[in-house]
Amino acid sequence: MADFKKYICSACGWIYDEELGDPDSGIAPGTRFEDIPDDWVCPECGVDKSYFDSLD
């Protein structure tokens, strides 16, 4: 299986882990960041996807 990536919210520091997803927001484990709907927001602070940076 391909390596999963992590993305950090530049506003609050919350980390989206592709392996874990965001089940509380309806994002299944294994969902790639680019496949998250554009209307998804950070579950911690509410900013949109544009505030996230790759942790690579």
Side-chain angles (χ1 to χ4, degrees):
M1 185 169 238
D3 290 335
F4 289 108
K5 296 180 182 177
K6 294 180 181 180
Y7 295 81
I8 188 167
C9 176
S10 62
C12 73
W14 187 82
I15 295 174
Y16 176 77
D17 185 332
E18 292 180 335
E19 187 173 11
L20 302 177
D22 181 17
D24 292 340
S25 298
I27 307 300
T31 302
R32 299 293 183 188
F33 188 77
E34 60 267 16
D35 295 332
I36 295 174
D38 288 337
D39 62 353
W40 176 84
V41 295
C42 176
E44 192 69 29
C45 70
V47 298
D48 64 45
K49 284 175 60 176
S50 68
Y51 285 82
F52 281 76
D53 297 307
S54 176
L55 281 178
D56 288 350

